[in-house]
Amino acid sequence: MDSVFGLVGDGFAIIAADASAARSILVFKHDEDKIMELDSHKLLVSAGTPADCATFNEYIQRNLKLYELNNDVSLGTHGAAHFIRGELATALRKGPYQANLLLAGHDAQTGVALYQMDYMAALSKVNFGAHGYAAAFILSVFDRDWVKGMNVEQSLDVVRKCIHELKTRFLISQPVFIL
């Protein structure tokens, strides 16, 4: 029942996730932070089975740090996205993680990027993306309102429209979103 989405603006990316922890007909809490800081320039948000998401996100965070310690350089957003995709592909053949991911990051050379990955290890660089039930409701908002080179205020307005669309049309209450 997760709703996560993100978009790229002019020199920045915004990712948002609902803060509900739920299973079946029960909501356990409304303060679950599904956004993980991988390093000072990259954020990872996941939707899916809570145990798989937490385990996989921590695994990725620690392995990216290990790579940085071993090689004295951290992976850029593009490299991190491909590393994550490789780990999802490897896990797919053993015991797949039921985690759909959005990776947002900024590199000095390439600028801002947003990558969308699903549990089947499909990877694509996108200008906006959504996972979970949110995708069915808000991709039309992105198609209509997202434009290249948006400033922060315009981007936050699109995010507000997405959250409003979810609150209006989605049967399940998701009262809190974390940006």
Side-chain angles (χ1 to χ4, degrees), residues 34-169:
K34 298 173 185 171
I35 302 172
M36 176 172 275
E37 184 178 319
L38 296 179
D39 63 24
S40 63
H41 293 75
K42 288 185 274 307
L43 296 173
L44 183 66
V45 62
S46 57
T49 307
D52 284 351
C53 291
T55 303
F56 188 72
N57 287 356
E58 289 175 9
Y59 172 78
I60 293 301
Q61 183 185 44
R62 286 175 172 78
N63 275 281
L64 288 177
K65 185 64 177 173
L66 179 64
Y67 180 89
E68 182 180 348
L69 292 172
N70 286 339
N71 298 299
D72 293 326
V73 64
S74 64
L75 284 174
T77 307
H78 182 79
H82 285 276
F83 171 75
I84 294 168
R85 186 233 169 257
E87 293 302 316
L88 281 171
T90 300
L92 186 62
R93 287 154 185 83
K94 296 178 181 176
Y97 291 103
Q98 296 295 314
N100 298 309
L101 311 166
L102 288 173
L103 172 69
H106 179 273
D107 298 323
Q109 298 84 6
T110 58
V112 177
L114 180 66
Y115 290 90
Q116 181 170 320
M117 292 164 259
D118 68 3
Y119 74 100
M120 298 294 286
L123 169 68
S124 58
K125 184 176 179 181
V126 295
N127 292 317
F128 55 82
H131 282 301
Y133 288 115
F137 298 101
I138 64 175
L139 286 177
S140 62
V141 174
F142 283 133
D143 284 337
R144 182 182 63 234
D145 295 331
W146 184 88
V147 293
K148 189 173 177 81
M150 292 189 338
N151 62 31
V152 174
E153 189 54 43
Q154 292 169 320
S155 299
L156 289 175
D157 187 48
V158 171
V159 169
R160 282 186 212 101
K161 288 178 182 178
C162 290
I163 293 171
H164 179 264
E165 190 74 14
L166 285 171
K167 288 185 179 194
T168 302
R169 304 209 181 274

